[in-house]
Amino acid sequence: MAALGGDGLRLLSVSRPERQPESAALGGPGPGLCCWVSVFSCLSLACSYVGSLYVWKSELPRDHPAVIKRRFTSVLVVSSLSPLCVLLWRELTGIQPGTSLLTLMGFRLEGIFPAALLPLLLTMILFLGPLMQLSMDCSCDLADGLKVVLAPRSWARCLTDMRWLRNQVIAPLTEELVFRACMLPMLAPCTGLGPAVFTCPLFFGVAHFHHIFEQLRFRQSSVGSIFLSAGHLIGPVLCHSFCNYMGFPAVCAALEHPQRWPLLAGYALGVGLFLLLLQPLTDPKLYGSLPLCVLLERAGDSEAPLCS
């Protein structure tokens, strides 16, 4: 190589073409335009989801069964059509994911059991303090509680309760589909996988600000308590449903509880164990191959930290 001299080295460097992003190779728009298309697509999805809740004009509060039933229809329609936005994004950017749309959105059997169990376990560890508080304040023992939970009548009552269906089934399914399954593939080629994971909750959180105006309108709560309860961490549907069930941790009630010191120790232990187990329990190797990594590789980002 030294015998080639400077001109020879320059010739070798020229003869090696740099790898271009998939969109450029396909004649699609440049990276800047791709990012604008991605952000606009995510904003459109968020606005469509929230806007669908208000196509029905009503003076009733959001927890009224009639309002919940109408909103079920709206969000189910928007959620069913949301994959079309990903298809349109793919056509506009020219990025070919290299896998099926459903697989890219997280509908796959590979790694389904650890994906269902480990994130839920991690979330329950984070809520160790509130779970202890719930068990201390419950008048029934463990055996009676399990009988109630496993009783068919209890589930039948839940399935006829519109608020339960909204909080535990419809909201987790539709919100995770729109704000995670559809948005994450569109944002990842633009921002990278890590930033996209933290950007999706921003769309999710902003989309929930309409609850603030609704609760203030019907004077259901104060401004301070509303801001504390609006929004959840994005995660799998089971974690979302669990968080909806638990609500925001009642720290003030724990401070005034007769057994506050064990409770506070449970709160601290839960947060500590959550931080300790967060990385090992979210290791991508536990959940099989990541379709998003295939997407990033085809988009020109083959060195994504979470994919290496």
Side-chain angles (χ1 to χ4, degrees):
M1 183 178 294
L4 293 174
D7 294 337
L9 288 175
R10 282 194 294 273
L11 180 61
L12 284 178
S13 63
V14 171
S15 64
R16 252 183 229 149
E18 294 183 0
R19 181 174 181 177
Q20 294 181 343
E22 187 76 10
S23 57
L26 295 173
L33 184 56
C34 285
C35 287
W36 280 110
V37 172
S38 299
V39 173
F40 179 77
S41 299
C42 291
L43 285 174
S44 299
L45 274 179
C47 293
S48 299
Y49 187 93
V50 176
S52 70
L53 302 175
Y54 295 96
V55 296
W56 313 96
K57 293 184 179 180
S58 176
E59 296 299 324
L60 299 173
R62 64 186 294 267
D63 288 334
H64 193 280
V67 175
I68 295 176
K69 289 179 181 179
R70 292 173 180 174
R71 290 184 170 185
F72 276 2
T73 304
S74 301
V75 298
L76 287 174
V77 169
V78 171
S79 302
S80 300
L81 296 177
S82 59
L84 296 178
C85 187
V86 185
L87 288 174
L88 180 61
W89 165 84
R90 187 183 66 180
E91 296 301 320
L92 291 175
T93 60
I95 297 176
Q96 300 300 322
T99 184
S100 68
L101 179 64
L102 290 178
T103 301
L104 185 65
M105 293 170 59
F107 293 94
R108 58 195 181 102
L109 294 178
E110 183 185 8
I112 188 172
F113 291 109
L117 296 177
L118 295 182
L120 180 59
L121 174 62
L122 189 62
T123 307
M124 293 178 70
I125 290 173
L126 178 62
F127 279 80
L128 179 60
L131 287 172
M132 289 176 56
Q133 190 171 347
L134 187 64
S135 64
M136 289 179 179
D137 295 337
C138 184
S139 58
C140 59
D141 56 20
L142 180 61
D144 292 336
L146 289 175
K147 289 180 181 179
V148 173
V149 170
L150 299 177
R153 288 185 178 180
S154 299
W155 285 99
R157 284 196 299 268
C158 290
L159 293 175
T160 56
D161 185 344
M162 291 296 102
R163 292 184 62 182
W164 186 91
L165 281 174
R166 179 193 64 193
N167 296 336
Q168 312 306 135
V169 180
I170 301 299
L173 280 173
T174 58
E175 290 175 354
E176 293 296 336
L177 175 62
V178 172
F179 291 95
R180 185 170 65 98
C182 290
M183 290 189 181
L184 194 57
M186 294 190 293
L187 287 174
C190 174
T191 64
L193 188 53
V197 170
F198 290 98
T199 304
C200 284
L202 297 179
F203 288 98
F204 180 76
V206 172
H208 278 63
F209 268 82
H210 68 99
H211 291 326
I212 296 176
F213 302 106
E214 284 190 346
Q215 293 183 40
L216 287 176
R217 176 186 174 190
F218 292 101
R219 299 181 180 179
Q220 294 176 339
S221 193
S222 64
V223 176
S225 60
I226 289 172
F227 270 100
L228 286 175
S229 62
H232 296 281
L233 294 174
I234 198 166
V237 171
L238 289 176
C239 295
H240 193 143
S241 181
F242 175 79
C243 289
N244 279 356
Y245 174 77
M246 294 299 297
F248 194 85
V251 181
C252 294
L255 291 173
E256 299 175 358
H257 200 277
Q259 303 184 50
R260 61 179 177 275
W261 292 116
L263 272 181
L264 294 177
Y267 271 83
L269 180 62
V271 174
L273 288 175
F274 173 82
L275 296 175
L276 183 66
L277 298 173
L278 178 61
Q279 184 172 356
L281 290 186
T282 56
D283 189 340
K285 297 178 182 177
L286 297 174
Y287 307 100
S289 59
L290 294 179
L292 279 175
C293 292
V294 179
L295 170 64
L296 291 176
E297 183 178 356
R298 294 177 68 88
D301 186 8
S302 59
E303 301 181 355
L306 296 179
C307 297
S308 56

